[in-house]
């Protein structure tokens, strides 16, 4: 029997990932914006805050 970690995803699993991808991408955008804000050495720019707000809005739709 093959190791489950080594098996290829089924067509059904790939389709599920494809359907969920917009939400996954939106969550990644939120995370990226949060990292940018947390890593800022000085004052966080208005652009960074707007980017975070936009990413949050995209994740909710």
């Amino acid at each position: 029997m093959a190791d489950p970690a080594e098996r290829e995803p089924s067509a059904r699993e790939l389709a599920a990932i494809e359907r969920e991808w917009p939400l996954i991408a939106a969550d990644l955008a939120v995370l990226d914006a949060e990292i940018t804000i947390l890593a800022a050495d000085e004052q966080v720019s208005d652009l960074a805050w707007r980017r975070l707000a936009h990413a949050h809005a995209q994740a909710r739709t």
Side-chain angles (χ1 to χ4, degrees):
M1 183 168 210
D3 181 3
E6 293 181 11
R7 75 172 183 83
E8 295 293 322
S10 69
R12 176 180 264 170
E13 291 168 328
L14 289 173
I17 292 168
E18 188 70 26
R19 283 190 308 274
E20 294 176 18
W21 187 251
L23 179 57
I24 294 167
D27 286 343
L28 288 172
V30 168
L31 181 61
D32 187 52
E34 289 173 341
I35 289 169
T36 298
I37 289 171
L38 290 172
D41 290 335
E42 309 238 343
Q43 183 177 352
V44 178
S45 71
D46 287 340
L47 178 61
W49 289 112
R50 286 194 312 265
R51 187 172 162 231
L52 179 60
H54 182 272
H56 273 289
Q58 291 298 110
R60 281 183 246 146
T61 59

